[in-house]
Amino acid sequence: MRIFGVTGWKNSGKTGLVERLVTEITGRGLSVSTVKHAHHATDIDHPGRDSYRHRQAGAVQVLVASPVRWALMHELRGAPEPPLDDLLARLSPVDLVLIEGYKTATHPKIEAHRAESGQPLLAHDNPTIRAVASDTTPDAPVPVLPLDDTAAIAQFILAEVGL
């Protein structure tokens, strides 16, 4: 399984870029999965649901299955967050995994950048960033691609991972 990341500061366009890349790359006949890192507690479940009640009762894992999807929730219950490699090992095989976030992880990445954020480029200090996708033309130590040119960004990523 090949992996490539999309990183950047908050409100830099990461999620929208990942969404567009998934559409573009799957449209080329490749299979794609995603991993999204959140810095805060996140919950995909809701109070009152049976699965929520199972977790509240103390279950370590709750698997919810239906005719259209299944989801596995794992409660850490005070244990440390697992490393990215451990999480990737849990995914079913696909052609490409796009990883949103994980700025300091060692996998190759493209940095999403918007001038209005006022944030400096991460690419100057992060050797894992292979390109910048920006709404401007910042001075960068790596290639700069237009943030809205999804096809060009997808082509760059696919070439980088050998697909």
Side-chain angles (χ1 to χ4, degrees):
M1 229 170 15
R2 293 174 173 108
I3 64 171
F4 204 89
V6 175
T7 194
W9 298 105
K10 183 177 181 177
N11 297 320
S12 62
K14 297 181 303 290
T15 300
L17 178 55
V18 169
E19 181 181 10
R20 294 190 319 271
L21 287 169
V22 170
T23 300
E24 176 72 25
I25 295 168
T26 58
R28 296 180 185 199
L30 298 169
S31 58
V32 178
S33 289
T34 65
V35 173
K36 162 71 174 136
H37 187 255
H39 290 283
H40 50 81
T42 185
D43 203 341
I44 60 169
D45 209 0
H46 304 286
R49 298 284 189 189
D50 295 349
S51 53
Y52 184 91
R53 293 170 58 194
H54 294 182
R55 289 177 30 232
Q56 290 302 108
V60 173
Q61 290 187 318
V62 176
L63 192 146
V64 179
S66 77
V68 295
R69 78 183 48 88
W70 64 269
L72 176 63
M73 292 173 280
H74 183 100
E75 294 295 314
L76 293 176
R77 307 247 182 250
E81 180 180 350
L84 178 58
D85 286 343
D86 290 358
L87 298 172
L88 289 169
R90 295 179 178 270
L91 294 176
S92 299
V94 292
D95 296 314
L96 177 65
V97 178
L98 291 173
I99 301 167
E100 182 180 340
Y102 290 95
K103 284 182 187 88
T104 61
T106 60
H107 62 276
K109 303 169 192 70
I110 191 162
E111 178 180 356
H113 175 263
R114 283 197 176 131
E116 70 185 30
S117 75
Q119 294 290 348
L121 286 180
L122 297 167
H124 289 293
D125 298 315
N126 186 334
T128 66
I129 294 175
R130 304 287 199 266
V132 172
S134 181
D135 61 354
T136 63
T137 53
D139 179 30
V142 294
V144 177
L145 303 166
L147 183 58
D148 62 354
D149 192 345
T150 307
I153 297 167
Q155 191 59 43
F156 178 88
I157 291 170
L158 294 175
E160 283 282 309
V161 299
L163 287 173

